[in-house]
């Protein structure tokens, strides 16, 4: 038996046989044209995904009605006018030998744009948990129209050449809104107990089944558990399974969570293990019995194979992993596991970028995703001699891309290790995976044949002597040191000393600064048994709780009993304590063994002036340009290489 036999075995359901059991789950990209038709960017993205050879690809949320749109640029299927683009999409989805399904979607009260226009609809006029505005309560006529619209869109999917449809019944959109007692308080036959609240879903399934015929596979994506206070549970879902199967569902795609679920569990952060959600799929599979797709944090084909081999699920979806490395299955087939770029579940370039920044899909650690029509294939017409200064995310990404395009690349790193600030960013609980990623990237760069000169700061004489064609300045940021009395006390350290483990956190520590670095330092120390107090001069935390990472940090510190004080500024440090000012009042605190400074960073780009003066072509990228995040560092590093 090969180690991927189960995952690579075909699976048949009605008229569809998929060549293997790896699934691209539906992922909204924001790449469609503003009118909902398939754009060149969306087609190129999907083609790239198909080349990875997964067995089943499911389209992004595809709108079945105008009042259900949730993205500014969302694929749509509510009219025959969309058919030409949908045909092109189905064709590219088939281009790697896999099968194609279309996800049928209506956002209900979670459509920000429709809420703003007063056009959003929902089972009851109860405000969206995210946007705070209520939708219009659907009349029985609205229900009939929307049920019919699901059916018509499904027929279009079939006409366009898709092999199956998936009804999106998950994640807090219209169907979940009917299922959930939190959003459905109707007194007619569409409200009441769980089974009555599921009536809308049964009608949608029947409408879709009627449109596509008996032999066409109909998948249902459902949040197997709402995962929210007073939400429905997987046992509730089991009670409606016979009716779902009877209405025409062939496969259940068992996701989890809804809008407002804590910790962003639907696209779960690293604190959730690979496969954490399989048990819910398995419960549904056994109770049905019905084939299921399991999903949640898979970033390696081997555990997915084992889930299938053990009979816990029939297929496994790899969502963010496919954004991170669409070739993960190809590489696994070739036994090249060490070449798979594994998703770190940071959510920065994908779901949070779309939801909180209103931008199209990317990946923080794969600069190709969402940029398929921008990224040059190479080789470059004019290969150049390129020096890259710094081996953090920006420098290493630039190096990999520049080498791929055929340039003559050398990386210089002043420290003894590659990775820049990721060596510190990987230290908070659950972030070890960030270190795996940066070590992977450094190895890829070296394996591609790029020399990395360690312990070699680039200096002005070097540049004068050996003048490169282009310099990519990826020198990152340097720590800010506050100018206050007492900084020279022996018990004063900085975040890098604690996270870099050159200094052990003491029993009682005061962390000064509540940004990401301060919060992570506080978590790191708390995890090692310190009693942590953190002060931040801003009136509230600069680390937002609405991101999955921010949520995890706040939760961790709360559970560890850390004291977080906002609106407090450090004034001075004395041998036996500190003076702080909170809301205009001075306070003396004397119970700390250590004061740890984490007040942020500023760009380190001292080479820039010299390069300009000597007229050496250069580009400054990542934190060296402006201190930000991994997403910007990799994006700018890649772009610098593409534009050489
Ligand atoms: C504790 C901590 C936690 C963080 N957590 C996150 C997070 O969760 N998510 C996120 O997105 N971001 C996080 N960040 C920020 C993230 O690490 C940075 O945005 C990112 O590393 C920037 O990449 P970069 O390549 O621009 O710079 P850096 O990573 O700083 O790399 C710059 C490199 O250049 C080298 N260098 C400098 N000058 C020279 C020279 N003259 N010659 C040769 N080499 C030189 C440096 O030694 C360094 O290796 C965190 C940062 C810290 C400190
Ligand atoms: C960028 C992005 C967009 C998503 N859009 C959809 C969607 O359109 N429909 C859907 O059912 N789920 C959507 N999801 C959820 C994913 O399909 C998947 O269930 C989730 O990311 C968990 O799988 P993973 O851990 O393998 O990423 C989206 C997730 C991401 C990251």
């Amino acid at each position: 038996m090969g180690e991927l036999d189960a995952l690579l075995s075909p699976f048949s359901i009605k008229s569809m046989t998929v060549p293997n059991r790896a699934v691209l789950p539906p992922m909204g990209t924001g790449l469609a044209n503003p009118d909902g038709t398939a754009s060149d960017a969306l087609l190129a993205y999907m083609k790239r995904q198909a080349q990875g050879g997964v067995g089943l690809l499911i389209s992004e949320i595809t709108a079945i009605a105008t009042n259900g749109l949730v993205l500014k640029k969302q694929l749509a299927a509510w009219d025959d006018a969309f058919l030409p683009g949908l045909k092109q999409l189905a064709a590219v989805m088939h281009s790697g030998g896999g099968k194609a399904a279309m996800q049928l979607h209506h956002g209900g009260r979670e459509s920000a744009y429709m809420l703003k226009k007063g056009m959003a609809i929902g089972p009851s006029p109860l405000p969206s948990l995210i946007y705070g505005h209520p939708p219009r309560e659907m009349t029985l006529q609205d229900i009939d129209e929307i049920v019919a619209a699901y059916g018509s869109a499904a027929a279009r999917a079939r006409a366009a050449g898709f092999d199956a449809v998936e009804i999106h019944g998950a994640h807090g959109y219209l169907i979940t809104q009917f299922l959930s007692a939190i959003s459905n308080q109707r007194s007619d036959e569409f409200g009441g107990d769980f089974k009555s609240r599921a009536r809308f879903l049964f009608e949608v399934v029947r409408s879709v089944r009627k449109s596509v015929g008996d032999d066409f596979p109909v998948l249902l994506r459902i949040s197997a558990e709402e995962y929210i206070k007073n939400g429905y549970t997987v046992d509730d879902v089991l009670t409606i399974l016979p009716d779902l199967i009877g209405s025409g569902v062939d496969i259940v795609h068992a996701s989890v969570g809804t809008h407002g679920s804590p910790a962003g569990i639907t696209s779960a952060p690293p604190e959730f293990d690979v496969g954490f959600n399989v048990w819910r799929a398995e419960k549904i599979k056994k109770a049905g019995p019905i084939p299921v797709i399991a999903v949640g944090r898979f970033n390696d084909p081997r555990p997915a194979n084992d889930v299938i081999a053990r009979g816990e699920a029939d297929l496994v979806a790899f969502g963010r992993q496919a954004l991170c490395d669409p070739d993960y299955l190809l590489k696994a087939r070739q036994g090249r596991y060490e070449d798979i770029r594994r998703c770190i579940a940071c959510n920065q370039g994908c779901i949070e970028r779309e939801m909180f920044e209103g931008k199209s899909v990317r990946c923080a650690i794969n600069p190709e995703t969402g940029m398929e029509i921008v990224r040059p294939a190479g080789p470059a017409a004019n290969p150049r001699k390129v020096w890259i200064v710094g081996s953090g995310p920006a420098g290493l990404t630039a190096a990999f891309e520049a080498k791929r395009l055929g340039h003559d690349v050398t990386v210089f790193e002043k420290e003894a290790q590659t990775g820049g600030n990721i060596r510190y960013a990987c230290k908070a609980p659950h972030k070890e995976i960030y270190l795996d990623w940066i070590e992977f990237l450094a190895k890829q760069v070296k394996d591609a044949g790029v020399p990395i000169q360690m312990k070699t700061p680039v200096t002005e004489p070097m540049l004068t002597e050996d003048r490169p064609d282009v310099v990519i300045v990826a020198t990152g940021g340097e720590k800010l040191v506050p100018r206050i009395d007492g900084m020279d006390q022996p018990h004063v350290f900085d975040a890098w000393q604690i996270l870099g483990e050159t200094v052990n956190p003491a029993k009682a520590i005061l962390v000064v600064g509540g940004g990401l670095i301060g919060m992570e330092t506080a978590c790191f120390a708390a995890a090692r048994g310190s009693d942590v107090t953190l002060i931040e001069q801003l009136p509230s935390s600069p680390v937002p709780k609405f991101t999955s990472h921010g949520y995890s940090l706040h939760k961790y510190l709360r559970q560890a009993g850390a004291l977080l004080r906002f609106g407090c500024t450090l004034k001075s440090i004395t041998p036996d304590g500190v003076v702080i000012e909170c809301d205009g009042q001075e306070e003396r605190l004397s119970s700390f063994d250590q004061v740890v400074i984490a007040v942020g960073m500023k760009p380190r780009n001292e080479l820039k002036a010299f390069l300009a003066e000597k007229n050496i072509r250069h580009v400054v990228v990542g934190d060296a340009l402006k201190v930000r995040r991994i997403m910007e560092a990799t994006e700018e590093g890649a772009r610098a290489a593409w534009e050489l």
Side-chain angles (χ1 to χ4, degrees), residues 348 390 393-394 413-414 420-421 431 458 476 520 623 628-630:
Q348 208 175 82
E413 169 55 57
K414 71 178 172 59
N421 263 316
K431 287 186 79 188
V458 170
E520 294 206 352
D623 278 6
R628 284 154 300 161
R629 310 171 301 174
I630 294 168

Side-chain angles (χ1 to χ4, degrees), residues 378-458:
N382 300 307
R384 301 186 193 284
K385 176 176 165 181
V386 186
W387 278 17
I388 296 176
V389 193
S391 70
L396 289 177
T397 305
F400 186 80
E401 288 295 304
K403 183 70 184 176
R404 182 183 65 80
L405 294 172
H407 297 288
D408 169 13
V409 184
T410 307
V411 175
F412 297 88
E413 169 55 57
K414 71 178 172 59
E415 301 294 332
Q417 283 185 309
T418 53
N421 263 316
I422 301 305
R423 297 255 163 215
Y424 303 91
C426 66
K427 290 301 180 70
H430 311 294
K431 287 186 79 188
E432 309 81 7
I433 195 168
Y434 283 54
L435 181 62
D436 297 344
W437 161 60
I438 205 71
E439 290 190 337
F440 162 87
L441 181 56
K443 183 169 181 304
Q444 293 277 304
V445 169
K446 282 181 211 153
D447 289 353
V450 176
I452 306 184
Q453 303 208 3
M454 302 304 302
K455 295 196 201 168
T456 312
V458 170

Side-chain angles (χ1 to χ4, degrees), residues 20 56 61 67 147 152 214 247 295 309 339 343 361-362 401 418 452 483 494 579 582 641:
N20 62 66
L56 176 64
I61 38 170
N67 59 7
V147 165
S152 312
D214 284 343
S247 310
V295 64
D339 282 341
C343 170
V361 73
R362 297 277 183 82
E401 288 295 304
T418 53
I452 306 184
R483 284 202 202 129
D494 65 49
V579 179
C582 301

